Amino acid sequence: AVVFATGATAALDPAVFEVIHAAWRDRRRLRLVYATEKESRPSSRDVDVHALFLAHGAWYARVYCHMRKDWRSLALHRIGKPQLLKERFDRDLAVLAQVRAGNVFDYKTVCNVIVQCAPSKARLISEREWFPGQQMRRLDDGSLRLSFPEVPRPELVWWVLSYAGTIEVLRPADVREEIHRSAQLLARRHAPRARTPRR
């Protein structure tokens, strides 16, 4: 058995996935209803599904949205009433390259990122490429210095925070400051509470 078994996952209706997969496979336009995080009411739209990808425990489709006249990444678990249309489209190879590079949510990016990893996590961090173009250098004290040419900003912040202080951003300074503010908020929210005396 092959099981995706890490992290929270979003429930996905197999029948919905089957129609979306057919639209991607056969390069046919898809009509659907979709609600974003900020919209309370779903809207109907026609899309061309250029790529399917798994991120943060959920399946997404990278689509050209004919309603918005722009590219979007749609969470498959938020899609309702998918319907195959007769119109066909050609896949955009530039979009496929963008998906492979990992910046699929239209996040703002930061350039020339340098981080340093503590010796206690250096082996773990060195085992994979975290962002495209990664360069690594092991330092004399056992720590690891990594550099990235360009990284989606929110994903960089989440990644650093997830390692609980064992990864330090050296550059750029504004990302370092954002992480400092986030860490302060975490510390305030998780300050020890006074214990209620037992009766």
Side-chain angles (χ1 to χ4, degrees):
V2 176
V3 180
F4 179 73
T6 58
T9 56
L12 179 58
D13 183 339
V16 169
F17 183 84
E18 186 176 341
V19 178
I20 298 167
H21 182 264
W24 166 77
R25 182 192 62 219
D26 300 334
R27 293 176 295 174
R28 286 176 60 181
R29 189 160 298 167
L30 188 67
R31 180 163 293 158
L32 52 82
V33 294
Y34 189 80
T36 68
E37 293 179 45
K38 299 177 182 178
E39 295 173 339
S40 58
R41 183 175 298 176
S43 58
S44 177
R45 59 185 78 191
D46 292 355
V47 303
D48 300 332
V49 182
H50 286 253
L52 298 172
F53 62 94
L54 184 67
H56 310 304
W59 280 99
Y60 292 84
R62 188 65 176 168
V63 307
Y64 181 79
C65 177
H66 291 273
M67 181 180 76
R68 303 291 187 195
K69 308 291 185 194
D70 203 358
W71 295 95
R72 293 288 188 271
S73 289
L74 305 183
L76 268 57
H77 59 275
R78 294 195 191 118
I79 291 176
K81 301 179 181 178
Q83 176 187 353
L84 289 172
L85 303 178
K86 293 180 180 179
E87 292 86 353
R88 295 182 178 270
F89 65 93
D90 292 323
R91 284 201 183 90
D92 190 321
L93 297 181
V95 172
L96 300 183
Q98 181 189 33
V99 170
R100 288 191 189 99
N103 188 18
V104 291
F105 294 110
D106 304 310
Y107 293 144
K108 290 182 179 178
T109 59
V110 288
C111 297
N112 303 317
V113 174
I114 299 177
V115 303
Q116 189 157 319
C117 172
S120 62
K121 292 291 183 182
R123 182 175 178 181
L124 174 68
I125 294 299
S126 69
E127 290 176 341
R128 55 174 94 173
E129 183 183 62
W130 297 95
F131 302 102
Q134 172 177 297
Q135 297 290 323
M136 287 188 294
R137 182 164 59 96
R138 202 170 285 277
L139 304 181
D140 292 340
D141 64 356
S143 61
L144 194 67
R145 189 164 291 184
L146 299 93
S147 61
F148 310 100
E150 188 175 18
V151 181
R153 185 181 182 115
E155 295 194 355
L156 174 62
V157 171
W158 300 332
W159 177 62
V160 172
L161 288 170
S162 74
Y163 277 91
T166 57
I167 296 178
E168 176 187 0
V169 173
L170 304 180
R171 195 173 71 193
D174 61 323
V175 174
R176 183 182 175 94
E177 291 164 6
E178 180 180 346
I179 290 170
H180 183 256
R181 290 192 300 271
S182 297
Q184 287 180 316
L185 178 59
L186 276 169
R188 286 196 301 272
R189 291 270 171 89
H190 292 84
R193 294 181 177 174
R195 293 186 178 181
T196 306
R198 292 184 179 179
R199 295 183 178 178

